[in-house]
Amino acid sequence: MIGGRRPLRGRKPGDRRVRVERPHSAYFRYTGPGQLTAKVAASTPTTPTGRTWAQVRRLLFGRRLSNEEDAFERLPKKLALPIFSSDAVSSSAYATEEILRVLVVGGASMIIFSIPVAIAIACLLLIVSTSYRQVCRAYPHGGGAYVVARENISPITGLIAAAALLIDYVMTVSVSTASAVAQVYSVVPQLYDLRIEIAIGAIALITVLNLRGLREAGLVFASPTYVFIGLGFLLIAMGGVQTFLGVATPHVPAPDSVPVGTQQLAGFALVVLLLRSFAGGAVALSGIEAIANGVPAFKPPESRNAANTMTMMAIVCAILFTGITVIADVFHVLPTQEGGATVIAQVAAAVFGDGSLLFLLFQAATALILFLAVNTSFNAFPRLAAILAEDGYMPRQFSFRGDRLAFSWGIILLATVAGGLLVIFGGDVHALIPLYSVGVFVCFTLSQAGMVIHWRKERDAGWWWRAGVNALGGVITLLVLCVVVSMKFVDGAWLVVVLVPALVGMMLFINRQYAASAGQLALRADQVIPPPRREERVIVPIAGINRAVVQAVNVGRSISDDIRAVLVSEDPEVAEHVRGEWERRMPGVPLVVVESPYRALTGPLLAYLDVLDQAWPPDREAPVTFVVIPEYVARHWWERILYNQSSSEFRRALIGRPNTVVTNVPYRREEPEAFDRQADPAEA
Amino acid sequence: MIGGRRPLRGRKPGDRRVRVERPHSAYFRYTGPGQLTAKVAASTPTTPTGRTWAQVRRLLFGRRLSNEEDAFERLPKKLALPIFSSDAVSSSAYATEEILRVLVVGGASMIIFSIPVAIAIACLLLIVSTSYRQVCRAYPHGGGAYVVARENISPITGLIAAAALLIDYVMTVSVSTASAVAQVYSVVPQLYDLRIEIAIGAIALITVLNLRGLREAGLVFASPTYVFIGLGFLLIAMGGVQTFLGVATPHVPAPDSVPVGTQQLAGFALVVLLLRSFAGGAVALSGIEAIANGVPAFKPPESRNAANTMTMMAIVCAILFTGITVIADVFHVLPTQEGGATVIAQVAAAVFGDGSLLFLLFQAATALILFLAVNTSFNAFPRLAAILAEDGYMPRQFSFRGDRLAFSWGIILLATVAGGLLVIFGGDVHALIPLYSVGVFVCFTLSQAGMVIHWRKERDAGWWWRAGVNALGGVITLLVLCVVVSMKFVDGAWLVVVLVPALVGMMLFINRQYAASAGQLALRADQVIPPPRREERVIVPIAGINRAVVQAVNVGRSISDDIRAVLVSEDPEVAEHVRGEWERRMPGVPLVVVESPYRALTGPLLAYLDVLDQAWPPDREAPVTFVVIPEYVARHWWERILYNQSSSEFRRALIGRPNTVVTNVPYRREEPEAFDRQADPAEA
């Protein structure tokens, strides 16, 4: 309402506290001339609904954090190892199974090949990690595939890497969650039917935690990894001993094991089979790049610590993965059909004894570390999205940080997409993995290639052998990439092959948009803007005469004396009546009636504005036309259906018109008295 | 863009036609001082997309019509009869089947009861029509149940009638369409699987025709009814003769006939069965009120002509309905399971000979008249909705007439709901009818009751026997209503019983809203509004400095000299840089930097506005605060994602603030040169 005393937000008028000496002290710290710093109070809502919402949010996400509170702590190796390697280590929970699933089809005689395949993958793992050591050295500020590729090769390559990474992170969430749930229902089969619900629930939980600004740090996050690694080694050791002593009781194949193929494979068919199993197991490498991205989090000397941690992790992964595979082979563990126990669960059951405490502990640790892996993606994805947004490749919102300094948009996007994938694929790990590996190896190849160029640029002592190492890594990962794409193409790899270019295209498109608008909005460097010497003209479209209209007209009058009210009406009689009313109540404000026999509202109004423009003397500069639109403030969603239909229609129609400024004058029904005071001549 | 020459809408600048003597002549007729009348040109769109849309619409719906073109023609009896009675007459296409479906369950011995039941219903029909004759007399301007009930009983009762009527119309569309399609697949069984598609297609077609402003008039609409009635009588006659001559070849029951019950019914069970069949057949009365609503369409003397037409129609309906029922009985026609031939189709086949030309003709006529019945609802529903909207019981939009003078909103709502019902009920007539009858009889009862009160008010000569007639009609229809509700409750009648109060509640709610807002907006009768004596203050929230901002600031300057730019920023360095830029480029416009460590935008801005208000000397009247928001005009939907996030956020937050006016200053990227001209000091 125009007029009347103004209450301080959220306080009743006349409230004592309103009359403080330095009025701004309630909301701001005064930090210099024309310089204020907002306190929390400044952004607390004032409406009841607003306040309840705020409370709900505080309950869910905790109190708002200021920028200063953005803590960044450095990690000692013994914490960095578990925290950064959860993703990589956890992949050994499903890699073995992927190998077996392929081989089993080939027949009983093929299963033994799981061991050489696993060893090959382990070597690959060591090679890739060694070449990543160098990324740690070269990029002490964190060398994600995006950065490395963009800086060394080209922006486009950077975007390709970025797209692959984004997909990679999404898949980490989907696969790890699915696998974690699989570990759960390996122990409690009844839960199989609830797997989707459980998975979604887990993702929702992690989403909330991350919106709270969860930091990956401290023992809470370190311990599960250590427990898993420890139990994993124990598993392998005990399994080994049992075999050595010959007391290994061969695992009774689960009743729902997948049928073992019978045909005799040889030649090409055999090669294909082995390659397919290799492509499947290659997923074991997922997540080993994590450390290279996180170098700054290490205690100095960052690079060396990171590099060493990297190697350590690689070795651990290699041992776990091959070990589990061997044991699985020794104990004749076969993958089961969808819904049955996972291979790793069967292995644990075979070695520790089904239902034993160790077994249960191991399963719990596996599930837990998989969820940790999910969480790492929840940290990485939004951060990458934010970097992309700042570089103008994604909508700006992705770089905005929420109340808890978390990149809310990225977190929510990740949760939605990953959750959607889980639902679509029915929470089946095996179905999801083909999409996974491709992204992983695209990133590997690109960052390795980037590194090669990096070293060539530097050309410092022994650059050629460093380049060599990365070149080797790059070539091998490229080969693996080809294998994975070709072998898993029909199984879903094609989707990624389509998705990556699509994403890149989208990012380029967005970038072009932002660049264009920036150009159009740019001022010439030397430009100094003088005060305008323009005339104004005010138009108030009205539907009748009421408080809202009066108020709008008064606002219009205060802008300019050249003011006209325009009534677009399809009914001449109504128009006549309004004119009578108007001339009686609004002396001095001309009313133009536009009869609209075709019942259109905006059309005639726009046309009338044009007519005014044409009538304007051509030799004088065009005036700014203010269209002042009375509005009835809606307090509920349904009020939008009942009111302001035409005013918002006007707004949409006028927003693009040259020389036109749209002014909305809201009428707030709360203060009719105030209105009377202001509009009553008795008070003049 | 502020500045530069303004093109006439849809024309290039400098276009010769722009400089006409009377500029408005292109769009308007000058009809007096401050009085214009828009031509079609005034509401033709100017953007390419807009124009293409307009073309598509013209193609679908035809050229726009002006209010003057709203033709209203009076109908001679011979046209009025068929046009108004299509709904009532068509119901005899399914009424008989409803009776049989119930009786068959009771067993072979029960089927013969169809004749007495049909006769009972026919009598009911004649009684109701006689009491409706009086509605015609009493309401020469058309007495729908809504009007009669509202005027004589109470507004609420009127609303109940209105709700029942709305449901009634929706059901007419669903049932008649379904039945029409059933007639089609009775002839071509293969089409059964396509029934939903056909039905939806038909509704879509009728919708488009009605959006075109289709008028029910002329022989086109009259003939099918005559053909149907003619063939119907012929059917009955031929059937009668065949029976009389004993040459009637009893109809071989269709293979998919519903199984005939075997149990022996007696006593209560028997009564219930008969009542159920009666309740089913009662649907034959649907639509007989149509004439009473359409009295004004008759040639004078309207009332008498309408009344007589009413009687004629009633007699025709009674004959057709009972006749068909008798023939069906004589020829041992049984209803078939879902998907089989309709009873009326079987009767026609039996009498005319299956596949004979007469048979096909009859089926075609039946389908056609059913679609006519649908069309009557498409005329009645939107008109009623419009009346309700004008009385403030439905959103105003329902009283707006589209390009072709049709009430577009009502038409589309009807089509959607009726279509939805068809899909939900799988296009099964039998399943839909229970919902139908309830609405029909609620209207009958209410309008009869209303009439009784009407006559008591009038109290003119012989009022008591007129009242008596209506009382009789009312009591009987009320009884039938009870029968229908109780007998068909579980079959779907309950839905209507729930829906009517729900609709009434909704309409009352809407009405209260409009009443409230009208009250809040009303001006005191004597109130004359003086020019305002208020100061203004301008705030321009900015995110940086660019053309859009400069433009906004210039608009602000033209409103008032008390202007401040406000930068809400979470990053002090950015803020510092902007300030530097600002002071260099915008001399004389103070910039206030509000640091927002909690990253909130609107909160601190609102808080700052409050601080300004508090600082204002308490003894002076509050100024109007103009918040001038720079906006980057979006041309595509995706631009809304990329730009103006915060400006629309500001707008939402400010729209409800006291003393505050939101001004959007759109920046149109098309005219950067114009901008330079305007903003360049060299041109000063």
Side-chain angles (χ1 to χ4, degrees), chain A residues 1-6 8-9 18 23-24 27-28 34-38 40 42-43 64-67 397 401-403 405 509 513-514 517 520-525 527-532 534 536 545-548 550 554-555 557-559 570 579 584-585 587 592-595 597-600 603-604 606-608 610-611 613-614 618 622 624 626 631-633 638 641-643 645 651 655-664 666-669 676 679-681, chain B residues 1-3 5-6 8-9 18 23-24 27-28 34-38 40 42-43 64-67 396-397 401-403 405 509 513-514 517 520-525 527-532 534 536 545-548 550 554-555 557-559 570 579 584-585 587 592-595 597-600 603-604 606-608 610-611 613-614 618 622 624 626 631-633 638 641-643 645 651 655-656 658-664 666-669 676 679-681:
Chain A
M1 256 307 306
I2 308 303
R5 173 85 27 260
R6 312 149 312 294
L8 173 57
R9 291 172 56 243
V18 176
H24 57 256
Y27 297 138
F28 300 104
Q35 194 81 23
L36 298 173
T37 303
V40 198
S43 34
R64 307 176 128 228
L65 290 178
S66 105
N67 287 350
Q397 298 89 300
R401 288 182 301 171
D403 294 349
L405 294 163
F509 175 77
Q513 293 310 322
Y514 279 134
S517 59
Q520 287 148 352
L521 287 169
L523 294 167
R524 287 203 311 285
Q527 201 166 25
V528 176
I529 290 86
R534 307 282 304 279
E536 299 88 39
I545 176 163
N546 59 35
R547 286 161 181 258
V550 169
N554 279 342
V555 168
R557 279 162 152 174
S558 66
I559 295 173
E570 64 168 282
R579 178 183 289 287
R584 189 166 65 72
R585 292 180 180 281
V592 178
V593 172
V594 176
E595 263 182 58
Y598 294 91
R599 300 166 302 285
L606 286 167
Y608 177 69
D610 290 341
V611 168
D613 285 350
Q614 293 167 59
V624 185
F626 285 81
E631 221 174 66
Y632 185 75
V633 178
W638 41 259
I641 308 172
L642 298 182
Y643 310 110
Q645 293 287 343
R651 202 175 159 281
I655 203 71
R657 190 175 186 275
N659 315 307
T660 312
V661 171
V662 181
T663 301
N664 294 89
Y667 177 78
R668 300 172 72 241
R669 70 205 77 171
D676 291 335
D680 192 340
Chain B
M1 254 310 304
I2 307 306
R5 175 82 28 259
R6 310 148 313 295
L8 174 56
R9 292 172 56 242
V18 177
H24 57 254
Y27 297 138
F28 299 102
Q35 195 82 22
L36 299 172
T37 303
V40 199
S43 34
R64 305 176 130 228
L65 290 178
S66 101
N67 287 351
R396 291 193 187 111
Q397 297 89 302
R401 288 182 302 171
D403 294 350
L405 295 164
F509 176 77
Q513 294 310 322
Y514 279 133
S517 59
Q520 287 146 353
L521 288 170
L523 292 169
R524 283 202 312 288
Q527 204 167 23
V528 175
I529 290 85
R534 308 282 305 277
E536 299 89 39
I545 179 164
N546 62 36
R547 285 161 183 259
V550 169
N554 278 341
V555 168
R557 280 163 151 172
S558 66
I559 295 173
E570 63 169 284
R579 178 184 289 287
R584 189 167 64 73
R585 291 180 180 282
V592 177
V593 172
V594 175
E595 261 182 58
Y598 294 91
R599 299 165 304 284
L606 286 167
Y608 177 69
D610 291 341
V611 168
D613 285 350
Q614 292 166 60
V624 184
F626 284 82
E631 221 174 64
Y632 185 74
V633 178
W638 42 259
I641 307 172
L642 297 183
Y643 310 109
Q645 293 289 342
R651 199 174 162 282
I655 205 69
N659 314 307
T660 312
V661 170
V662 181
T663 301
N664 294 89
Y667 177 78
R668 299 172 71 243
R669 70 205 77 172
D676 291 336
D680 191 339

Side-chain angles (χ1 to χ4, degrees), chain B residues 365-387:
Chain B
T366 317
L368 213 55
I369 194 178
L370 282 161
F371 280 127
L372 279 193
V374 172
N375 193 62
T376 49
S377 288
F378 265 92
N379 275 259
F381 181 96
R383 221 181 287 122
L384 177 57
I387 296 172

Side-chain angles (χ1 to χ4, degrees), chain B residues 217-472:
Chain B
L219 249 104
V220 193
F221 284 85
S223 39
T225 318
Y226 276 127
V227 176
F228 176 75
I229 295 174
L231 288 171
F233 284 166
L234 181 63
L235 175 80
I236 295 161
M238 281 176 65
V241 172
Q242 289 177 18
T243 338
F244 185 71
L245 301 179
V247 300
T249 50
H251 176 64
V252 274
D256 55 357
S257 297
V258 289
V260 176
T262 50
Q263 73 278 44
Q264 279 307 322
L265 290 178
F268 183 68
L270 178 59
V271 175
V272 170
L273 186 77
L274 294 181
L275 282 180
R276 283 185 59 81
S277 66
F278 179 83
V283 74
L285 272 74
S286 65
I288 62 167
E289 77 287 2
I291 289 180
N293 309 347
V295 181
F298 282 81
K299 280 238 172 67
E302 294 85 358
S303 300
R304 233 196 46 244
N305 287 334
N308 298 341
T309 320
M310 167 74 80
T311 316
M312 224 176 341
M313 177 187 76
I315 295 166
V316 171
C317 291
I319 296 174
L320 277 177
F321 170 54
T322 38
I324 290 169
T325 313
V326 172
I327 302 292
D329 194 68
V330 173
F331 284 79
H332 307 306
V333 172
L334 295 178
T336 58
Q337 267 132 359
E338 176 59 10
T342 58
V343 164
I344 192 167
Q346 294 184 66
V347 172
V351 174
F352 294 140
D354 204 343
S356 69
L357 181 64
L358 268 175
F359 167 70
L360 296 177
L361 208 61
F362 182 76
Q363 285 304 97
T366 317
L368 213 55
I369 194 178
L370 282 161
F371 280 127
L372 279 193
V374 172
N375 193 62
T376 49
S377 288
F378 265 92
N379 275 259
F381 181 96
R383 221 181 287 122
L384 177 57
I387 296 172
L388 288 167
E390 269 156 19
D391 297 356
Y393 290 114
M394 282 179 83
R396 291 193 187 111
Q397 297 89 302
F398 283 95
S399 67
F400 298 164
R401 288 182 302 171
D403 294 350
R404 300 286 291 186
L405 295 164
F407 296 105
S408 321
W409 279 67
I411 292 173
I412 286 159
L413 180 65
L414 174 62
T416 342
V417 178
L421 276 174
L422 269 171
V423 174
I424 294 166
F425 286 84
D428 175 1
V429 181
H430 181 57
L432 284 162
I433 282 185
L435 287 72
Y436 195 4
S437 318
V438 179
V440 178
F441 281 95
V442 170
C443 299
F444 287 164
T445 315
L446 288 179
S447 54
Q448 298 315 320
M451 286 310 291
V452 176
I453 296 167
H454 171 81
W455 298 126
R456 266 192 73 260
K457 286 209 207 100
E458 303 255 319
R459 289 191 171 286
D460 53 7
W463 69 270
W464 50 267
W465 78 260
R466 290 211 195 74
V469 173
N470 286 119
L472 177 67

Side-chain angles (χ1 to χ4, degrees), chain A residues 285-488:
Chain A
L285 273 73
S286 64
I288 63 165
E289 78 286 0
I291 288 179
N293 309 349
V295 181
F298 281 81
K299 279 236 172 71
E302 293 84 359
S303 300
R304 232 197 44 246
N305 287 335
N308 297 341
T309 320
M310 166 76 80
T311 317
M312 217 168 356
M313 176 187 77
I315 294 166
V316 171
C317 292
I319 297 174
L320 275 176
F321 171 55
T322 38
I324 290 167
T325 314
V326 173
I327 303 291
D329 195 68
V330 174
F331 283 78
H332 306 305
V333 172
L334 294 179
T336 57
Q337 267 131 1
E338 175 62 8
T342 60
V343 165
I344 190 165
Q346 294 183 64
V347 172
V351 175
F352 294 139
D354 203 342
S356 69
L357 182 65
L358 268 175
F359 166 70
L360 297 176
L361 208 60
F362 182 75
Q363 285 304 96
T366 318
L368 212 54
I369 194 177
L370 282 161
F371 280 127
L372 279 192
V374 172
N375 193 61
T376 50
S377 289
F378 265 92
N379 274 261
F381 181 97
R383 221 182 286 123
L384 177 56
I387 296 171
L388 289 167
E390 268 156 19
D391 297 356
Y393 290 113
M394 283 179 83
R396 290 191 188 117
Q397 298 89 300
F398 283 97
S399 66
F400 298 165
R401 288 182 301 171
D403 294 349
R404 300 286 293 186
L405 294 163
F407 296 106
S408 321
W409 279 67
I411 292 173
I412 286 158
L413 180 67
L414 174 61
T416 343
V417 178
L421 276 175
L422 268 172
V423 174
I424 294 165
F425 285 83
D428 177 1
V429 181
H430 181 57
L432 285 162
I433 281 182
L435 287 72
Y436 195 3
S437 317
V438 179
V440 177
F441 281 95
V442 170
C443 298
F444 288 163
T445 315
L446 288 179
S447 54
Q448 299 314 321
M451 286 311 292
V452 176
I453 297 168
H454 172 81
W455 298 125
R456 265 192 75 262
K457 286 211 208 96
E458 303 252 319
R459 289 190 171 287
D460 52 9
W463 69 269
W464 49 269
W465 79 259
R466 288 209 198 74
V469 174
N470 287 119
L472 177 67
V475 172
I476 292 181
T477 47
L478 179 60
L479 284 175
V480 179
L481 177 61
C482 300
V483 173
V484 172
V485 171
S486 54
M487 290 298 148
K488 298 288 186 182

Side-chain angles (χ1 to χ4, degrees), chain B residues 21-32:
Chain B
E21 276 50 42
R22 300 239 313 295
H24 57 254
S25 62
Y27 297 138
F28 299 102
R29 271 185 295 105
Y30 178 85
T31 50

Side-chain angles (χ1 to χ4, degrees), chain B residues 45-59:
Chain B
T46 59
T47 61
T49 36
R51 253 182 262 107
T52 19
W53 263 118
Q55 277 160 4
V56 173
R57 283 174 57 180
R58 189 150 53 258
L59 225 72

